[in-house]
Amino acid sequence: MTTKHTIAANANILDAVRALNILPGGSMTLFVIDNDGIVQGTLTDGDIRRALIAGMPLDGTAADAACRRFRSIRAGAIDPADLRVFRNAGITMIPVLDSDGRLTDILDLTSRHTLLPLKAVLMAGGKGERLRPMTEKTPKPLLEIEGKAIIDYNIEALAACGIDNIFVTTRYLADQIEEHFSSPVAGVQVRCVCEDNPCGTIGAVALTGVAETDGDTLVMNSDLLTTISFEDMYLHHRDNGADITVAVVPYQVSVPFAVLTIDPENPAMFTGIEEKPSYSYYANAGIYIFSNKILRRLRKDVKCDATDLIDSAIQDGAKASYFPIKGTWIDVGSPLDFRQASELMKHHKSLSS
């Protein structure tokens, strides 16, 4: 395998400097490979500088200057938890090697920070009636917030996690969404599937074919703005052996009256009274990870809501976990939500500029 990040073991130091000079600033690492494609080491500006100080001539070889102690990942065994360790150590270029040490791929964590083994389906068939008149001629997922369609924020977040098998289910003003995704977004060629008839909040997933193979699929509403960590959610799902994981947000209900505690032994009596109590719950955030065996329950000709699928699966013994979202979550369902989301994204842009 030869890329701009590889250099032959017998190349001289000057050639290595030239190769490093054309690399982008965040990825200035070369992998030194021999004639058999086996990685001999890594080479950076620092490695060359140390070699020259030690007396190496300019016609010395890349292999002589290379760092022989480097970390790698075995092909076919890429674990997001391992990628997190690399990231936390500040390592952004990771060689993927076969059993003989040959380079098969290079993971660049500056362009995607992890590699999740997930497919994704974004539900985009709703009419967005509460946002009218904005949605009379534009489907809600294509409404722009700070110059970008709502759905594109989610596509970009998924792509940054290495998820490139993405479907969007459509119905209302479907032709506009299909036209929007006629070109790649964030480097991903998104595929659209249109519902001929209303399929409920999750039934249209059956039209995508994602459940035909084993593994897991992330399903989410397309009109959300969130900073959820899909990596954390996936690892939570996997490490708990869950069939279903539901992302949740805290929701608090305050009762403006004194509330009685009814005696369960005698419903005509009460055992206490509490003044204006507050109750905390976890609310469904509209983001799920399903084992594909659960999604295989869906039928193309049967309407189904996500809550019904989850309830029936749990009744049949499926393991379900929940994942609290830390950070931003906005369901852009009303004009107030839209204004809040716009202000939030404007604030994020000002911080990054």
Side-chain angles (χ1 to χ4, degrees), residues 134-213:
M134 287 189 291
T135 53
E136 287 180 351
K137 295 183 179 180
T138 303
K140 182 166 64 168
L142 296 189
L143 292 177
E144 291 192 355
I145 292 180
E146 285 301 294
K148 185 185 300 182
I150 295 171
I151 194 171
D152 285 355
Y153 285 100
N154 295 314
I155 298 295
E156 290 176 357
L158 293 171
C161 293
I163 302 174
D164 56 13
N165 193 346
I166 302 176
F167 290 84
V168 172
T169 66
T170 65
R171 179 167 170 77
Y172 177 66
L173 299 177
D175 56 333
Q176 291 188 36
I177 298 177
E178 290 172 4
E179 173 62 25
H180 179 78
F181 288 116
S182 61
S183 299
V185 173
V188 176
Q189 187 62 64
V190 177
R191 287 170 283 181
C192 295
V193 177
C194 185
E195 307 173 40
D196 292 328
N197 299 295
C199 295
T201 59
I202 202 170
V205 172
L207 304 175
T208 66
V210 294
E212 294 175 2
T213 58

Side-chain angles (χ1 to χ4, degrees), residues 121 123 199-211 217 219 290-310 312:
V121 180
M123 315 301 290
C199 295
T201 59
I202 202 170
V205 172
L207 304 175
T208 66
V210 294
T217 297
V219 180
F290 288 96
S291 166
N292 287 346
K293 68 181 181 182
I294 302 297
L295 294 178
R296 283 196 281 271
R297 293 167 170 256
L298 298 171
R299 296 292 177 265
K300 293 181 180 180
D301 56 345
V302 178
K303 183 178 180 180
C304 183
D305 289 334
T307 50
D308 295 329
L309 174 65
I310 293 169
S312 66

